Amino acid sequence: MFTNTITSPEDEEQRLTALYSYDILGDGLANELDNLVKLAAQIANVPMAYVAFVDRDDIILRSTIGIDSEYKKIPRDIAICQHTMLYDNIFVVPDLLLEPEFANNPKYAHVDNIRFYASAPLKDAEGFALGCLCVLDDIPRNLNEHQVEALETLAVQVVAQLALKRKNLQLEAQTKRFDEFADIFTASPEIHCILDRNGVILFINDAVTSMLGYTVEEAVGQSMWSYCYREDIDKTVYAIERGLKNKDKQFSIDFRLVSKTGQVKWIGWGMVSKGDRWYSYGRDITERKKVESELTKLSFVASKVNNGVVINDAQNNVTWINDAFEKITGFNLEDLKGKPLGDLISGPDTDWSLIENARALTQKKQSFTVDILAYRKDKQPIWLSIYNTVVLDDEGKVETEVEIIIDITEKKKAEEELQILSLVASKTNTGVTISNENGEITWVNEALEDLIGYSLDELSGKMLGDVLSTPETDRELISQSRKKAINKQAYIIEVLALKKDGTPIWLSVANTPIINAQGQLERQVELIYDITQRKQVEKEMVEAREQALQLSEAKEMFLSVMSHEIRTPLNAVIGMTHLLLDNHPKPSQIDDLNILKFSGENLLNIINDILDFTKIETGNLQLESIPFDLHTLCVDITNSLQVSAGKKGNLLTLKYDDRVPEQLLGDKTRLYQVIVNLLGNAIKFTDKGRIDFKIKLKYNDEDSCLICFEIKDTGIGIAKDKQSYIFETFTQAGADISRKYGGTGLGLAITKRLLKLHHSEIKVESTEGKGTLFSFIIDFKKISNSTAIPATIAAPSVFTGKKVLVVDDNEVNILIAKRFLSKWGLIIDFATNGEEAINKIVNNVYDLVFMDIRMPGIDGFDATRIIREIDGDYYKKLPIIALTASTLHNENMKFKESGMNGHILKPFNPEEIKEVLAIYLKK
């Protein structure tokens, strides 16, 4: 009945491969085909239907309807669909009992209850038969033309569903592989990047941060050549261009990059050219380059010696040999490279246990010495003595092995080995000792004898540390080092020693333990260097630093004390001048008082210049960041200087850019100081000329704005050769400047340093006799909605009836304070020392206290601490303002630590006092 049912074994294997590719025989296919099978049963109007997949030995039923579970898997040889799946069209048997092939064949006995059978073959796009879509009934029936066509269509849909499932599985696997690749790519310690033809970085992974210190954002968009070490650019570009001319698409090239911190690193690059893109990956090979450089030097030396030298990699494979080794064994580098040395030089009588033991020691990062019977390339036996040294990398892993190989065929004794070693050591200028396993000296070279003055006879059998130690020698360090040697560990130490003639000497001692083939400590080799000069330099540097710190502290203390001593009487001079001017002086006295006021304030400015410069130099001047009106500040400064400008016949103008925001954040005081310094100089050095003060907006955004300041005059100008050092301390453009115009020579120095605190640089353009232009640019932060605007100073009427205690041991200061404060309606009380102040505060209620900090007995700091420690809110919250003539940098911290709310610097400025009173009395 069945035709075309025979397939070749090759075809059957291809069919099974196609079947398995859909992953449908196991649990991989769940209920995807249920609806299609149900629809097939409805179309054929039968109670039973399923999809049958033909495996190698079984038929697997899926999405069954009306079939018992025992028939979900049946042997292939009794299944009808193993034949019908090979048909091109649907196979239909209206009544199986009428077909002898089924009715009388015992192998189809399982279909006794089945009368009707129909199956549509399932073939994939490549034509491979996978199985059948089957419909069955327990009564005879037939299919009409439409049912046949519908079942064939459903069979196509079943295969399409399988193909879709396979495609989804492939996509899932591909997506997983892509995600894994992306994770590996991102986490890779190597740099991966994409460049355009000009070397601009289009993409780069996170390794650029760990390797070079740049963020991904900083690197993208930059040229790779901007990070390249300057000396490497030309030869690298030449190599790439030459490769492109030769139509090479892949390059392996090494060149150096400079990290963000200026460190130079060697990077080994693999580069692939595709279209207009370079796909590149780079690995940090700095350490490898160092090793290569060292090995190059070593190979040069090793190539000149008579002993064989072999260098192996971390896997014990040969990477280099010298000419002497080839002469000894007959093997050249081509014979050995990439192979273990022991495998090639061994022979019938070689003791393999020695080789295996040596390799085990290498795995344990231990050096060894072994004598072994080996064989030359011509199979002649030869005795070799192999000295192996393991070189570790920074992580303590084996990086390289260096083997010194000596032909000891005619001389195998250990003494002769030692003689060869001592011969090498005796030729170096470095001190060398050889000790036994206990650290007792057996040999020293002449260089060591010359270094310490002791001969081999004097040292033999002794420990070097015991002979050379002094009372100042670190015996504990020596003891720990000996323990390391006993544990077969190398070490390097620096110790203070004593030569035979009593001269102290600093020595650097590098100890290498030599392990024999049995893994036992056999001897110790020490390389000894004289580092006395280096230690002396280190000591001098430490002493110089300490001396510099002491000098800086002494200078700061001296200036602070002098500030206090000068400001105290100056407070009286300036304060009394203010009072006399406010006390309706006679017209004939006004000029004299103004001269006195001018002289006092000029002296104060000189003191402030010196102290501000000291603060800047010692790093103790911090800029404030508070809201201020730049326009108001510039107008006030210009107006205040109009008088002095007019006296010299100068026209002073302000040109202000209206686009500048009304409120900015910054240090108004320091900016005032800079502008006044520059405008004051312009007025000072200009007669009957013009001074233009210009403010221009350069840049403006939501958070900040860039503002340019220009001060231009038509004065005496500055010679070209003087412009480079006018900003130096105590320096002026000419020898007669100070005599003719006055000044300390600190103004421009302070101006430059104040602008540096603003991250700005001052520029000067000048022609002698024609005038000068000073300019600078400052980036100001703009005021956010959350920034508090400082309140305006309250009117003196707010102070009426408020009670203030002034604590000061200087009667003149008390008098001046009394005159100022009484004018504003305040009730004033006085104390002359800390103890009296405490008693008055306990027995009275004050709204505010002005506290001098330097007083005999209990000073202002201690008095404030005692007051704050008294129980009660009054003592905790009472405003205490320090009165100080000192600017010692650590006193701001002391103000806070003692509990003071703020401070006022002497000499007193009435406006500053009024501002402090407004802040605390309004509360």
Side-chain angles (χ1 to χ4, degrees), residues 432-445:
V432 179
T433 71
I434 299 177
S435 308
N436 60 20
E437 67 276 11
N438 299 319
E440 297 163 344
I441 292 175
T442 59
W443 183 87
V444 300
N445 67 347

Side-chain angles (χ1 to χ4, degrees), residues 289-313:
K289 285 289 186 180
K290 289 181 181 178
V291 172
E292 288 177 355
S293 176
E294 292 168 359
L295 290 179
T296 300
K297 296 175 183 176
L298 176 62
S299 65
F300 176 76
V301 175
S303 65
K304 304 301 180 183
V305 301
N306 295 325
N307 299 326
V309 178
V310 177
I311 298 177
N312 302 323
D313 61 19

Side-chain angles (χ1 to χ4, degrees), residues 139-154:
I139 61 174
R141 68 169 57 251
N142 211 332
L143 299 175
N144 60 37
E145 181 179 352
H146 295 296
Q147 288 173 318
V148 169
E149 184 179 354
L151 288 174
E152 288 178 340
T153 301
L154 285 177

Side-chain angles (χ1 to χ4, degrees), residues 793-807:
I793 298 175
S797 60
V798 177
F799 309 151
T800 304
K802 302 291 184 179
K803 194 170 183 180
V804 175
L805 175 64
V806 178
V807 186

